[in-house]
């Protein structure tokens, strides 16, 4: 039988034949057993309203940035439905069901609310899925749904055992860096991620390859160079004067900045500035850069700045604390989650490196590479952007020497790093030498931090950077 169209309604099947060659009882029986007649759409299915689940961190509304489906499209579980932008992160919502999209409740740039219907999906009622009440009346995110909302662009590959381990520990697979083939997430990746979150120190993986030091007769192989660096040229765009005022809503990261900076106005700031001689650190970094590149990691100055700050926070824990709203209690944070301010197309974002106190300089560099790549693509997760306890802002990458950084509540201190300049300085013998000078500007909460404490911390941080070998005595 060559069929032109197959329609399914309840248990009756109608066939409009274009050509009929053979049709007997045996053929009918065989086709029924082997289910040769299949339908691409369910016309008598159940309509389920897929509601926007609780993303966490008190987020109640998001902006719909992009739809990956349209009405009439068929979707399967884990298929991307849309991308939404909160004031903390960009998140891709994926489907929980197999079915057909019947209605989109929002347009591009509309505000979607948590707990409200996002799309209507027609599912096959014969497959025994949960009733509509069971599906939509669960605004809090369950463990199963927690793995369905992933960062945009991440197609996680993992075995069921690894997924179960991540589910039991409430870990998003999209936030774990896979080390297996095709970036597949292994059990060791989950354990290493969990160790970073909890501060536990795990034994090194047996697969880790240690690069032996090169002999004097050997030369370091040249790292593959990318195309010649291009000098950034401002893009000249035609300026159009419409003569009319334009009003746009404050959304996304701009909305988060409004909330954060408004809260920061309640904090009495005081500033402290100093200059750092990075001559020895510049030489040390030049020696370590080829080794880091062999391991596939770009080594900048920031991992050294972050680690030195963590060593200083161990001596002055008040700078890694938080003050409650009533100014009655001070909480000293056990973890050093040091944030790094990044300038992106979406605006200013401050992801943080978790548990720096138990990380090596190389570990910090690896995490910074991950955060920077995700930040430039607008794919940072909520966990990357929250939980910070101390912040460094590297304004020197853009320009400038001094700044007046604003504290990010509930933190109590922040530092702004200027650009590194080659300037003349005097040594102990009164001789002029060429020095690599960087300026630093600190801001602190004057309600619980005095100027002497900030100065002592800055001096300790400065000593680690000016004499990087001294950090070896305190590294853990």
């Amino acid at each position: 039988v060559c069929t032109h169209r197959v329609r399914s309604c309840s248990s009756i099947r109608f066939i409009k034949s274009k050509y009929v060659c053979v049709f007997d009882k045996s053929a009918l029986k065989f086709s029924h057993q082997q289910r040769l007649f299949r339908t691409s759409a369910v016309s008598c299915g159940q309509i389920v309203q897929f509601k926007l689940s609780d993303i966490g961190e008190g987020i109640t509304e998001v902006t719909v940035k992009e739809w990956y489906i349209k009405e009439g499209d068929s979707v399967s579980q884990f298929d991307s439905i849309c991308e939404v932008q909160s004031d903390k992160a960009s998140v891709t919502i994926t489907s929980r069901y197999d079915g057909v999209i019947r209605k989109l409740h929002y347009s591009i740039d509309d505000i979607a609310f948590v707990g409200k219907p996002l799309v209507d999906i027609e599912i096959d009622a014969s497959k025994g899925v949960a009733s509509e009440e069971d599906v939509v009346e669960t605004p809090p995110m369950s463990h199963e749904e927690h793995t369905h909302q992933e960062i945009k662009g991440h197609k996680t590959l993992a075995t069921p055992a690894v997924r179960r381990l991540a589910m039991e520990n409430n870990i998003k697979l999209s936030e774990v860096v896979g080390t297996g083939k095709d970036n597949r997430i292994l059990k060791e990746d989950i354990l290493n991620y969990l160790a970073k979150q909890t501060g536990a120190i795990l034994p090194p993986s047996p697969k880790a390859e240690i690069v032996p030091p090169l002999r004097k007769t050997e030369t370091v192989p040249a790292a593959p160079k990318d195309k010649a660096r291009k000098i950034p040229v401002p893009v000249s765009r035609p300026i159009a004067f419409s003569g009319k005022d334009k009003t746009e809503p404050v959304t996304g990261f701009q909305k988060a900045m409004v909330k954060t900076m408004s809260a920061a106005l309640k904090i009495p700031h005081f500033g402290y500035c100093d200059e750092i001689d990075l001559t020895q650190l510049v030489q040390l970094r030049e020696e370590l850069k080829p080794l880091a590149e062999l391991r596939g990691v770009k080594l900048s100055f920031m991992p050294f700045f972050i680690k030195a700050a963590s060593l200083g926070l161990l001596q002055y824990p008040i700078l890694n604390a938080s003050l409650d709203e009533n100014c009655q209690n001070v909480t000293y944070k056990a973890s050093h989650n040091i944030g790094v301010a990044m300038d992106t197309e979406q605006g200013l974002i401050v992801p943080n490196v978790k548990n720096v106190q138990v990380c090596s300089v190389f570990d910090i560099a690896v995490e910074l590479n991950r955060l920077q790549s995700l930040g430039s693509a607008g794919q940072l997760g909520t966990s990357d952007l929250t939980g910070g306890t101390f912040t460094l802002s590297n304004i020197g990458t853009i320009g400038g020497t001094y700044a007046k950084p604003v504290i990010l509540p509930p933190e109590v201190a922040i530092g702004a790093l200027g650009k590194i300049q080659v300037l003349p300085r005097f040594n102990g013998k009164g001789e002029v030498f060429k020095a690599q000078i960087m300026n630093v500007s600190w801001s602190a909460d004057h309600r619980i931090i005095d100027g002497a404490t900030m100065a002592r911390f800055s001096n300790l941080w400065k000593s680690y950077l000016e004499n990087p070998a001294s950090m070896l005595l305190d590294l853990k």
Side-chain angles (χ1 to χ4, degrees), residues 379-393:
Q379 299 173 4
L380 284 168
T382 304
S383 62
D384 295 324
L385 297 169
T386 56
T389 60
F390 187 87
T391 299
L392 292 177
S393 176

Side-chain angles (χ1 to χ4, degrees), residues 140-186:
M141 186 182 297
S142 63
H143 288 286
E144 178 185 359
E145 191 173 346
H146 195 71
T147 62
H148 287 188
Q149 300 197 8
E150 301 178 348
I151 304 302
K152 178 184 177 183
H154 279 254
K155 298 297 183 182
T156 54
L157 299 176
T159 62
V162 173
R163 292 183 181 274
R164 181 174 182 82
L165 180 61
M167 187 183 304
E168 291 174 351
N169 291 279
N170 199 24
I171 296 175
K172 280 188 177 181
L173 290 177
S174 56
E175 297 175 0
V176 180
V177 179
T179 59
K181 184 179 180 181
D182 298 329
N183 296 325
R184 182 179 296 275
I185 298 177
L186 308 177

Side-chain angles (χ1 to χ4, degrees), residues 344-388:
T344 67
E345 294 182 357
Q346 293 79 25
L348 176 65
I349 57 177
V350 189
N352 57 82
V353 180
K354 298 289 194 298
N355 296 307
V356 177
Q357 75 279 4
V358 295
C359 293
S360 66
V361 173
F362 182 77
D363 293 336
I364 299 172
V366 172
E367 181 66 4
L368 275 179
N369 283 197
R370 185 186 72 87
L371 294 176
Q372 289 168 349
S373 61
L374 292 178
S376 60
Q379 299 173 4
L380 284 168
T382 304
S383 62
D384 295 324
L385 297 169
T386 56

Side-chain angles (χ1 to χ4, degrees), residues 239-261:
I239 301 176
F241 295 96
S242 61
K244 296 181 180 179
D245 296 340
K246 183 179 180 181
T247 302
E248 294 181 349
V250 178
T251 60
F253 294 126
Q254 286 184 335
K255 196 169 186 178
M257 186 182 297
V258 170
K259 294 179 182 179
T260 304
M261 295 299 101

